[in-house]
Amino acid sequence: MFKALKEDVEAVLARDPAARSRLEVLLCYPGIHAVALHRIAHALWRRGFLLLARWLSAVNRFLTGIEIHPGAKIGRRCFIDHGMGVVIGETAEIGDDVTIYQGVTLGGVSLDRRKRHPTIEDGVVIGAGAAVLGPFTVGKGARIGSNAVVVKEVPPGVTVVGIPAKPVGPQPVEGGERGFPAYGTWPGVAADPVSRALERVCVQLEELEARLQELESRLAERGEPEKRAEPVPLRKVGS
């Protein structure tokens, strides 16, 4: 228990530049408190003390603003940053070295009493407000951008953004300054791929309009009349 707590504190110091000391992390980080209380609740849950485990998880939510079902499995060095509004469902499984920001939901979309929440593999970063919904796997080292809605499996090492979430580049780089992207994505990467495609279409339309105006100006200088495409007559249905 104390070894796991020590690892959690070191993980916060490594991933949050605002953390200045181990004592500050122990006293002031609700994510640390939530994970520590969850480990106790999860141990009670596994031993069959279901009501006591649920009560302790309710106390945990009251104290930290983070709701973790006692049946959820959380690995080592999990860092819940800020934490307010995080919800982790009963059958969720979280690997080692995972980072979760505020407002994240690891939820289910089924009422069946079986695996219905996601499995988050090692090293995943989930940005603020993201929702990961369903019994699929988010692969090792994947990145989920803020406010993304993930409803299907994410391959290892892939960054996804948008609603519904879609892959977007560049891919994560191990080590160096770009080795840990806060909130799941780096600046300039978090745009929805559909929005980016629409932006490219708008740019192309502007370029075509500029070329058309240039051609019309050249025709006017030569004194040639502008040629307009004649409208295509409409045909009646059935003719």
Side-chain angles (χ1 to χ4, degrees):
M1 178 70 181
F2 290 104
K3 180 182 178 181
L5 182 59
K6 182 180 178 181
E7 286 185 340
D8 292 342
V9 171
E10 295 299 329
V12 173
L13 290 171
R15 298 179 219 168
D16 186 3
R20 291 174 174 80
S21 69
R22 293 173 178 81
L23 183 59
E24 178 188 356
V25 172
L26 278 172
L27 295 178
C28 304
Y29 276 68
I32 289 287
H33 308 151
V35 172
L37 287 174
H38 169 72
R39 289 200 175 102
I40 300 172
H42 184 64
L44 292 170
W45 182 268
R46 291 181 60 188
R47 288 165 174 77
F49 299 99
L50 305 186
L51 180 58
L52 182 58
R54 288 301 302 268
W55 176 81
L56 183 56
S57 69
V59 172
N60 193 359
R61 180 180 63 177
F62 176 79
L63 294 175
T64 66
I66 299 169
E67 181 173 345
I68 310 174
H69 192 283
K73 299 177 182 178
I74 297 181
R76 299 164 60 186
R77 299 178 296 277
C78 177
F79 177 28
I80 301 177
D81 197 3
H82 306 297
M84 183 63 68
V86 168
V87 177
I88 300 175
E90 177 185 3
T91 62
E93 299 177 50
I94 299 174
D96 299 336
D97 302 302
V98 172
T99 303
I100 299 173
Y101 287 90
Q102 68 271 17
V104 166
T105 299
L106 304 183
V109 292
S110 170
L111 297 178
D112 297 336
R113 294 182 179 274
R114 54 188 174 89
K115 173 69 172 172
R116 59 189 185 278
H117 299 91
T119 295
I120 311 298
E121 293 188 342
D122 299 349
V124 172
V125 179
I126 307 178
V132 187
L133 309 174
F136 51 83
T137 299
V138 177
K140 183 177 180 179
R143 308 297 189 236
I144 298 175
S146 297
N147 297 315
V149 177
V150 185
V151 293
K152 62 181 180 180
E153 185 168 338
V154 179
V158 170
T159 299
V160 296
V161 300
I163 304 175
K166 295 180 175 62
V168 63
Q171 302 306 319
V173 177
E174 295 295 335
E177 295 181 357
R178 291 173 64 85
F180 180 78
Y183 293 95
T185 52
W186 297 286
V189 180
D192 187 340
V194 176
S195 299
R196 295 175 70 180
L198 289 174
E199 289 176 3
R200 288 195 296 269
V201 170
C202 291
V203 170
Q204 291 176 353
L205 285 175
E206 290 177 357
E207 292 175 352
L208 289 173
E209 288 179 354
R211 291 176 62 185
L212 180 60
Q213 290 178 359
E214 182 181 353
L215 290 173
E216 289 178 346
S217 298
R218 290 181 181 178
L219 289 174
E221 291 174 358
R222 294 177 183 177
E224 299 180 12
E226 297 181 5
K227 295 182 179 180
R228 300 285 183 178
E230 294 184 1
V232 178
L234 299 176
R235 296 182 180 180
K236 295 183 178 179
V237 178
S239 60

